[in-house]
């Protein structure tokens, strides 16, 4: 049994009189200790997928169908209490923009203590010792527990958020663009820290990012999301040689590669389609340089390729590829 198994998940937002199909048939699995990168442009449904898993969706959103199994238990059917018991203790999340996620009028130590006391009945001294241990794990001096968020730098605040997320020893940690608004050096430190902690604590991780290079350094598998769907699912070790979906390939060519020929990086013209009225065929067809007439009319089939590799596309070169199976 996989640690987490998401199957055909649909999450929708009510936007005025319209329905926005933010997550539209997403499926993936996560094993213990494994890390999965959810990659794609803003507005592709990555964060909504993560918030669906821990049922932290805003009031105008709901999971309309599909299944989320955590250790074999259906998350979508859990009661409020069941979900509260699961959050932080089983699955925790590091939100983007720590300054907005942390309470500005509580000390960092008190905020970590809140997460601990929600699940564990510990003495004051034991909580204090746990806070000190957590801060040191994320390379913050234990004496800084009495500081307020505004007394920390951006990188320290993000590390404090990671300490909070680790407070109850979760089995899965979700990093939702955890380095947004940080400078490049600090971003690298945060990714290194997350990766080290994941290995030391044997946690599974879902890393949501639009940064392919960070994902390839940190993750075992990649799910490339576009307009609410996973268009390609591939082992990271195979990504650079086997990437097959036109969107994945364009995404990769829009990042500079150290050591390769010096040239202007590519961009992907156009924007993600309006998900209140998505195209009836392939959602990428307006931006795809390889689009064919069938792409406008018919949703692409999912093609299973050797090595846990899945691609949704009409390209004949994929459909006819050796070992390809259609779903
Ligand atoms: Fe491009 Fe067609 Fe494949 Fe969509 S289905 S990615 S439009 S080739």
């Amino acid at each position: 049994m996989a640690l987490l198994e998401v199957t055909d998940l649909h999450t929708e937002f009510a936007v005025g009189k319209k329905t926005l199909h933010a997550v539209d048939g997403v499926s993936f699995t996560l094993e213990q200790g494994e890390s999965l990168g959810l990659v794609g442009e803003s507005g592709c449904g990555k964060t909504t997928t993560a918030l669906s898993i821990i049922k932290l969706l805003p009031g105008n959103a709901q999971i309309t169908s599909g299944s989320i199994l955590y250790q074999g238990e259906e998350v979508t059917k859990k009661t409020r209490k069941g979900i509260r018991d699961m959050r932080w203790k089983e699955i925790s999340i590091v939100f983007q923009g720590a300054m907005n996620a942390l309470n500005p009028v509580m000390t960092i130590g008190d905020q970590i203590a809140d997460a601990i006391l929600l699940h564990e009945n510990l003495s004051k001294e034991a909580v204090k010792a746990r806070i000190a241990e957590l801060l040191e794990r994320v390379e913050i001096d234990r004496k800084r527990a009495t500081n307020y968020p505004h007394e920390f730098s951006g990188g320290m605040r993000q590390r404090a958020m990671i300490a909070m997320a680790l407070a109850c020893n979760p089995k899965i940690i979700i990093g939702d663009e955890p380095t947004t608004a940080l400078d490049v050096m600090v971003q690298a430190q945060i990714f290194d820290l997350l990766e080290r902690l994941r290995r030391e604590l044997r946690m599974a991780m879902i890393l949501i990012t639009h940064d392919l290079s960070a994902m390839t350094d940190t993750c075992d598998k990649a799910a490339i999301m576009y307009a609410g769907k996973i268009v390609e699912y591939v082992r990271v070790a195979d990504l650079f040689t086997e990437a097959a979906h036109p969107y994945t390939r364009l995404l990769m060519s829009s990042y500079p590669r150290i050591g390769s020929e010096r040239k202007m990086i590519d961009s992907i013209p156009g924007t993600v389609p309006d998900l209140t009225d998505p195209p009836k065929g392939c959602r990428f067809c307006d931006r795809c340089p390889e689009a064919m007439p069938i792409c406008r009319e018919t949703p692409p089939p999912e093609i299973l390729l050797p090595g846990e590799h899945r691609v949704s596309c009409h390209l004949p070169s994929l459909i006819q590829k050796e070992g390809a199976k259609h779903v």
Side-chain angles (χ1 to χ4, degrees):
M1 189 192 353
L3 182 61
L4 181 74
E5 192 168 349
V6 176
T7 310
D8 201 19
L9 180 68
H10 288 74
T11 304
E12 296 176 353
F13 285 78
V15 184
K17 288 185 178 154
K18 294 182 176 176
T19 301
L20 189 143
H21 306 272
V23 175
D24 201 356
V26 160
S27 302
F28 62 85
T29 57
L30 190 68
E31 308 290 341
Q32 178 155 8
E34 190 176 50
S35 61
L36 169 76
L38 277 185
V39 192
E41 286 161 274
S42 299
C44 282
K46 308 181 300 294
T47 296
T48 307
T49 301
L51 296 181
S52 301
I53 292 169
I54 51 170
K55 290 187 82 179
L56 256 186
L57 291 163
N60 65 337
Q62 62 168 332
I63 297 171
T64 51
S65 64
S67 158
I68 301 168
L69 290 178
Y70 171 70
Q71 292 190 318
E73 274 187 49
E74 183 57 61
V75 173
T76 58
K77 296 203 165 54
K78 276 188 187 282
T79 59
R80 250 171 206 244
K81 178 174 180 319
I83 289 292
R84 263 206 313 268
D85 290 346
M86 187 190 80
R87 269 187 221 138
W88 298 110
K89 193 163 172 51
E90 304 294 333
I91 306 177
S92 66
I93 185 162
V94 179
F95 293 104
Q96 51 182 296
M99 197 59 192
N100 300 330
L102 290 167
N103 186 335
V105 295
M106 278 176 82
T107 66
I108 296 291
D110 285 348
Q111 296 188 56
I112 299 174
D114 268 1
I116 298 170
L117 291 170
L118 205 61
H119 292 286
E120 292 176 48
N121 193 12
L122 296 180
S123 68
K124 224 173 160 184
E125 282 65 41
V127 171
K128 218 170 155 188
R130 180 101 180 100
I131 293 167
E133 181 207 320
L134 285 162
L135 287 178
E136 284 181 356
R137 257 199 194 284
V138 298
E139 297 159 9
I140 295 176
D141 188 332
R142 56 171 63 200
K143 292 192 200 114
R144 306 291 300 264
T146 54
N147 285 175
Y148 288 87
H150 73 270
E151 296 175 280
F152 276 21
S153 67
M156 283 172 77
R157 283 196 290 266
Q158 208 58 6
R159 278 185 271 145
M161 283 289 300
I162 295 172
M164 271 175 77
L166 298 178
C168 299
N169 300 315
K171 295 193 179 63
I172 301 176
I173 187 164
I174 300 173
D176 182 9
E177 311 242 14
T179 60
T180 302
L182 299 178
D183 69 58
V184 184
M185 292 300 289
V186 181
Q187 282 185 20
Q189 288 168 8
I190 296 291
F191 282 126
D192 286 350
L193 176 68
L194 272 173
E195 178 57 3
R196 177 173 63 73
L197 292 170
R198 180 179 77 83
R199 288 185 190 280
E200 280 176 15
L201 305 173
R202 301 196 63 245
M203 289 182 300
M205 178 165 77
I206 298 175
L207 179 66
I208 296 171
T209 181
H210 52 260
D211 185 341
L212 265 180
S213 48
M215 189 273 295
T216 51
D217 283 346
T218 328
C219 297
D220 303 308
K221 286 195 250 170
I224 315 296
M225 283 194 78
Y226 187 76
K229 292 182 177 289
I230 292 179
V231 294
E232 183 155 16
Y233 189 75
V234 61
R235 287 195 297 236
V236 167
D238 299 332
L239 182 66
F240 286 93
T241 51
E242 303 290 329
H245 195 280
Y247 179 61
T248 314
R249 286 192 263 119
L250 284 171
L251 211 53
M252 288 170 64
S253 65
S254 66
Y255 276 88
R257 287 206 213 170
I258 293 172
S260 67
E261 181 196 346
R262 283 183 67 183
K263 63 176 181 90
M264 285 296 287
I265 54 172
D266 297 330
S267 63
I268 309 176
T271 53
V272 179
D274 175 5
L275 293 183
T276 60
D277 183 22
K280 67 174 178 177
C282 171
R283 294 183 175 186
F284 189 53
C285 68
D286 282 343
R287 305 170 75 188
C288 179
E290 297 173 68
M292 302 164 284
I294 189 178
C295 304
R296 294 208 174 274
E297 298 302 322
T298 314
E302 187 171 59
I303 302 162
L304 300 185
L305 297 167
E308 291 180 78
H309 188 178
R310 300 183 337 225
V311 193
S312 295
C313 186
H314 282 298
L315 279 178
S317 57
L318 283 172
I319 294 172
Q320 290 152 15
K321 200 168 174 165
E322 202 181 327
K325 289 186 197 139
H326 297 197
V327 178

